[in-house]
């Protein structure tokens, strides 16, 4: 059985319209594949959420792998937004305004 997960951005903001934030998400997926035993069968990055069909191959609970993925990805994106503010609505959501 392969879990299907959808993760949305807080407030459904269109974070993934910028390539740099999509790239950070893809880097996170790659990291989890290499070091967390995440086996990805399908994925789709939408403007404000991500769909992922995967399984854990290291006997780790899927929810723990996804928790690590979401934590790492969100911290990376928030850091990037704070360091390079371009969108006022994103700036407000990260506490910068």
């Amino acid at each position: 059985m392969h879990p299907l997960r959808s993760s949305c951005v807080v407030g459904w903001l269109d974070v993934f319209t910028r390539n740099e934030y999509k790239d950070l998400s893809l880097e996170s997926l790659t990291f989890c594949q290499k070091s967390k035993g995440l086996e990805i069968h399908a994925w789709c990055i939408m403007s404000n959420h991500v769909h992922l069909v995967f399984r854990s191959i290291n006997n780790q609970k899927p929810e723990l792998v996804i928790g690590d993925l979401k934590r790492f990805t969100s911290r990376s994106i928030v850091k990037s937004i704070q360091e390079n503010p371009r969108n006022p609505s994103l700036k407000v959501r990260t506490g910068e305004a």
Side-chain angles (χ1 to χ4, degrees), residues 7-68:
S7 294
C8 69
V9 175
V10 174
W12 290 90
L13 295 173
D14 291 325
V15 172
F16 300 119
T17 56
R18 293 199 172 274
N19 286 332
E20 64 193 279
Y21 305 142
K22 286 187 274 192
D23 291 343
L24 288 171
S25 292
L26 293 174
E27 288 172 16
S28 295
L29 288 171
T30 301
F31 173 79
C32 286
Q33 284 178 297
K34 292 178 180 177
S35 62
K36 300 282 184 180
L38 180 69
E39 184 176 88
I40 299 172
H41 295 276
W43 57 272
C44 179
I45 298 177
M46 306 298 285
S47 67
N48 57 10
H49 65 285
V50 176
H51 297 283
L52 185 63
V53 178
F54 72 98
R55 73 181 185 128
S56 175
I57 57 174
N58 287 347
N59 293 323
Q60 189 173 14
K61 291 182 179 180
E63 57 270 19
L64 296 178
V65 175
I66 290 301
D68 287 347

